[in-house]
């Protein structure tokens, strides 16, 4: 195959980032999507955008997200199916936070079968449970570009301001300890079964999410076939 830039190649398939809240899915998805020039589809970001705009979907999702529960499958599916059907997803895309239930995974299988010849790749971020609370309570996100920081482990150069664009750094309303506990419970009950679902099909690869963000990125790039 002739040398081509990674961005020009795209991914040629869907890549699913799977792991508990705080595992580093968003941090890695931003980086890898930029490297490959493909869309980063975060259902959490999509819902937060709807909440921010006060749409009908946002009004329904807001109280559910504030409790740390999952939004009903039918609402998630219509939103993501619409997004995946856009032409910018033709060369592949990264799914961050979707699917999260077995019915969502089954529906995604149907969508992907119509779209790609290649099976999806599922990257499973493995992180110690006791690390997740620290990561989530310390997370701050740029209001403008969505860049992700951590007040403990990855602070910005100027407190409260994004290194990239100077935007204000804010804490997500669901990053409160009591809500985080609910989100972790929802993960164990509703999302963890997807690990076996994909592993039994041979499409899931584990990545050590406890390593530094740079080392995790390197591992993911290796899985995707680029050293
Ligand atoms: P969503 O936004 O998807 O949140 P989540 O899955 O809970 O995941 P997070 O964004 O909290 O964590 P992350 O793994 O992306 O970690 P990050 O990279 O930011 O969902 C929010 C809500 O929306 C849900 O609760 C639900 O209500 C609803 N929703 C969304 N999708 C849904 C669906 N499909 N079905 C139903 N409902 C849905 O990193 C976290 C922190 O750790 C950061 O501070 C970061 O700097 C730090 N960090 C990252 N990597 C490392 C590292 N390697 N070492 C040290 N620190 C690190």
């Amino acid at each position: 195959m002739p040398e081509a830039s990674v961005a020009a190649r795209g991914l040629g398939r869907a890549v699913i980032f799977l792991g508990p809240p705080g595992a580093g899915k968003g941090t890695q998805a931003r980086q890898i999507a930029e490297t490959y020039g493909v869309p980063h589809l975060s259902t959490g970001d999509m819902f937060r955008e709807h909440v921010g705009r006060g749409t009908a979907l946002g009004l329904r999702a807001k109280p559910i997200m504030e409790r740390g529960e999952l939004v009903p499958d039918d609402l998630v599916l219509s939103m993501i199916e619409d997004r995946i059907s856009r032409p910018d997803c033709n060369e592949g895309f990264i799914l961050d936070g979707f699917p999260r239930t077995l019915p969502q995974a089954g529906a995604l299988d149907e969508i992907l079968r119509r779209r790609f010849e290649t099976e999806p790749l599922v990257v499973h971020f493995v992180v110690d449970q006791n690390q997740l609370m620290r990561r989530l309570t310390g997370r701050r996100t740029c209001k403008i570009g969505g860049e992700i920081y951590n007040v403990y482990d990855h602070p910005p150069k100027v407190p409260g301001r994004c290194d990239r664009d100077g935007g204000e750094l804010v804490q997500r309303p669901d990053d409160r300890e009591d809500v985080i506990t609910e989100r972790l419970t929802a993960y164990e009950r509703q999302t963890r079964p997807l690990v076996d679902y994909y592993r039994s099909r041979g499409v899931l690869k584990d990545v050590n999410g406890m390593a530094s963000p740079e080392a995790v990125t390197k591992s993911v790039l290796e899985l995707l076939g680029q050293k």
Side-chain angles (χ1 to χ4, degrees):
M1 194 173 79
E3 280 289 313
S5 78
V6 170
R9 274 199 284 135
L11 285 164
R13 60 179 163 178
V15 176
I16 298 167
F17 281 4
L18 182 63
K25 305 180 299 292
T27 301
Q28 296 301 328
R30 289 173 66 81
Q31 182 70 41
I32 303 287
E34 193 175 310
T35 304
Y36 276 88
V38 295
H40 163 202
L41 309 185
S42 157
T43 42
D45 285 349
M46 291 178 200
F47 281 126
R48 281 184 285 279
E49 198 200 322
H50 277 279
V51 170
R53 285 194 286 128
T55 65
L57 178 57
L59 291 174
R60 284 191 67 183
K62 187 170 186 273
I64 300 170
M65 294 171 77
E66 283 174 351
R67 291 197 297 273
E69 296 167 7
L70 295 188
V71 176
D73 289 338
D74 57 333
L75 296 184
V76 183
L77 284 167
S78 55
M79 179 178 77
I80 195 76
E81 187 160 13
D82 174 64
R83 181 63 189 86
I84 291 175
S85 67
R86 295 195 206 154
D88 66 341
C89 289
N90 286 347
E91 302 305 319
F93 47 87
I94 296 177
L95 288 167
D96 160 15
F98 177 87
R100 250 170 152 108
T101 64
L102 287 168
Q104 288 182 19
L108 178 65
D109 284 341
E110 281 303 308
I111 297 169
L112 294 181
R113 260 196 285 274
R114 293 197 296 266
R115 201 69 194 271
F116 296 103
E117 285 171 14
T118 316
E119 281 254 64
L121 173 69
V122 182
V123 181
H124 175 221
F125 294 90
V126 182
V127 178
D128 290 353
Q129 187 81 9
N130 58 17
Q131 180 75 23
L132 300 173
M133 186 63 81
R134 175 187 165 89
R135 286 192 183 182
L136 291 169
T137 52
R139 172 169 52 192
R140 301 292 183 273
T141 310
C142 175
K143 251 180 140 171
I144 298 174
E147 197 72 9
I148 302 168
Y149 294 86
N150 192 283
V151 293
Y152 307 122
D153 302 321
H154 175 43
K157 292 192 183 89
V158 177
R161 290 286 157 194
C162 179
D163 294 348
R164 268 199 175 182
D165 55 26
E168 185 190 351
L169 301 186
V170 293
Q171 186 166 28
R172 267 170 47 177
D174 60 349
D175 277 348
R176 286 196 341 244
E177 273 197 43
D178 55 334
V179 185
I180 293 169
T181 303
E182 285 306 317
R183 288 163 57 202
L184 293 173
T185 303
Y187 178 81
E188 290 303 321
R189 200 175 52 231
Q190 293 168 277
T191 310
R192 172 83 66 189
L194 298 188
V195 174
D196 287 339
Y197 177 81
Y198 287 119
R199 200 188 295 284
S200 66
R201 274 167 48 183
V203 297
L204 181 139
K205 303 283 180 199
D206 292 315
V207 160
N208 173 19
M210 294 294 288
S212 69
E214 296 75 21
V216 178
T217 304
K218 189 165 174 282
S219 301
V220 176
L221 288 174
E222 281 171 3
L223 281 183
L224 296 175
Q226 189 219 350
K227 295 279 181 277

